[in-house]
Amino acid sequence: MSSTIPKKPDPEPVAVTDEDAAESERLPRSLPSKRPGPPGGKRDENRRRRTRELCDAGLDLFLEKGIEGVTIDDIVRAAGVAKGSFYRYFEDKADLVEAIVSPLAAQVDDAFREGQAALEKASSNRRLFAAYQLLAEKLAGAIFLQPLVVKLYLQEMRTPSAGARAPIHALATRIADEAVSLTATARTHALWRPVHPRVSALAVVGSVEKLLFAFLSGEDLGELAEIPDALISMILDGLRLKD
Amino acid sequence: MSSTIPKKPDPEPVAVTDEDAAESERLPRSLPSKRPGPPGGKRDENRRRRTRELCDAGLDLFLEKGIEGVTIDDIVRAAGVAKGSFYRYFEDKADLVEAIVSPLAAQVDDAFREGQAALEKASSNRRLFAAYQLLAEKLAGAIFLQPLVVKLYLQEMRTPSAGARAPIHALATRIADEAVSLTATARTHALWRPVHPRVSALAVVGSVEKLLFAFLSGEDLGELAEIPDALISMILDGLRLKD
DNA sequence: TCAATTAATGACTAGATAGTCACTTTTTCC
DNA sequence: GGAAAAAGTGACTATCTAGTCATTAATTGA
């Protein structure tokens, strides 16, 4: 390897607001007005179980056949639930997709917010590394918690946004914008090549997404532990101005 | 820029079989047995026009709504053709997709074949550049001829391969494999970092695809002419062993 | 010209699909 | 316990869809 990456840079003072460990459980969208039952009671428990069953069955089917290729009947059959029950909890397929994706979206948004904050304070290469490492760790955490949702995102993100895929498309747009904004900041600090920020940001995001999709598809990528370092040094040698 | 790229290396002796300038016109799949009519006659001309109208209408709709979201009725309505006529020329939607994609697939396969041949002879950095430049030029040519088909490919390639998307998925698999094989060759020649070839190949392909999709979606990427150089130097500085 | 052949048409069928609703079962809470 | 509210059910409707086919129109070639 030709780049020297500081192994485990001290987590320099950085705005880490960990208040929001992104709720990964998917809750019913709304509660009845008169007799909702006590939290932890049977009504509450049944609602949570139904929502979870429908989300789980939906996710599996979406990954297998693509969002557009799955019908509500498929979903309720797989979840072992009557059709009417689906419509008690969700407006339509788009609403289900939204419920599946939104916890991941929240985590990803947080990761970028924190990365951006750290980067704005970075004035040295050391802090540049630290900021990117923070971002990478937060994103890795999100991926680790919801790998199948990430795969669904990668699988559907480029398809036209009509109907049920709208929430996924919205997340894709936000990620691209946040990555570009991050790169623009790095360039402001003169730590980066004078390449159009959208170009270098998309190049990096594209690499990561492709590798991640391959990994989540079970492809053999050799020793997994080596990938992050390999990727980081590729990116940094490719984009960073030399010291 | 920190890498020195030889501007326009002489196109060293390289196996360029240009016999097959990939027919980009989409022909009817089969001919009637008894009275097909003379080539250039009315029957022949009508057949070609119908196939083209159906392919064009299909492509537009696929890009707008996604392959899975388009019905045969949509296609024949857009093409101004009766439904029965569709089934005279194509088996089903998958067959139409196959007809739309296959000229591009042929060109891409050729580009990789030639790139691989050039690379196998490359023993110097100069020839490494030349081989990659040859590949890039061939691919750029294919993209320039069929930008909308390329966009369709990028849009649908990660979705599950069932049904109509099968031909697109097949092309995606071939491209990934050929890119990996190319990288493995470069590594054999000791011109490349000791990174798992699948990792570096997918990283490069991922960048290119992401940028290409953004470009084909009309995003602003700054001065277009600068992108290839920026990309090549990013890739080479990121992956190449230092001289 | 005209019979043979191919091409084009759109109504039609069988099956699938989203969403609804009257009815039954479960839970709440007095 | 029991009335009231919520949750669960699956048959039902109206719509959409892939694919067929009898009929009509256009083209061929002698």
Side-chain angles (χ1 to χ4, degrees), chain A residues 14-79:
Chain A
V14 137
V16 181
T17 49
D18 219 347
E19 77 227 344
D20 35 23
E23 175 66 294
S24 85
E25 192 182 1
R26 296 178 267 273
L27 300 170
R29 331 308 298 280
S30 65
L31 288 181
S33 47
K34 299 215 166 177
R35 286 184 174 176
K42 285 190 179 167
R43 288 237 157 114
D44 186 53
E45 197 187 319
N46 288 345
R47 274 193 299 262
R48 287 166 188 269
R49 195 183 62 242
R50 278 274 183 267
T51 349
R52 183 165 34 77
E53 282 165 352
L54 287 167
C55 286
D56 289 352
L59 180 53
D60 282 352
L61 287 166
F62 293 154
L63 288 169
E64 185 192 329
K65 307 207 241 171
I67 289 178
E68 207 68 20
V70 175
T71 68
I72 307 293
D73 283 304
D74 290 338
I75 297 168
V76 298
R77 200 178 315 126

Side-chain angles (χ1 to χ4, degrees), chain B residues 10 20 47 57 66 105 118 137 216:
Chain B
D10 317 340
D20 37 19
R47 276 192 298 262
E137 276 168 16
L216 293 172

Side-chain angles (χ1 to χ4, degrees), chain B residues 21-27 52 99-100 103-104 107 145-146 149:
Chain B
E23 174 67 294
S24 85
E25 192 181 2
R26 296 179 267 272
L27 300 170
R52 184 165 32 77
I100 289 173
L104 175 70
Q107 272 187 292
L145 283 179
Q146 314 252 26
V149 182

Side-chain angles (χ1 to χ4, degrees), chain A residues 161-196:
Chain A
S161 64
R165 290 172 304 209
I168 287 184
H169 197 257
L171 177 59
T173 305
R174 286 210 306 285
I175 288 182
D177 288 348
E178 299 189 275
V180 171
S181 153
L182 219 63
T183 310
T185 303
R187 230 181 56 158
T188 300
H189 292 218
L191 300 170
W192 218 248
R193 291 190 173 195
V195 171
H196 190 295

Side-chain angles (χ1 to χ4, degrees), chain B residues 32-53:
Chain B
S33 48
K34 299 215 164 175
R35 286 183 173 177
K42 285 189 179 168
R43 289 236 154 114
D44 187 52
E45 198 186 319
N46 287 346
R47 276 192 298 262
R48 288 166 186 270
R49 197 184 59 242
R50 278 273 182 269
T51 352
R52 184 165 32 77
E53 284 166 349

Side-chain angles (χ1 to χ4, degrees), chain B residues 218-240:
Chain B
E219 286 184 30
D220 174 23
L221 298 179
E223 189 53 57
L224 280 187
E226 292 174 3
I227 294 180
D229 270 6
L231 194 58
I232 291 175
S233 56
M234 278 190 264
I235 292 170
L236 291 179
D237 276 353
L239 292 175
R240 184 172 46 112

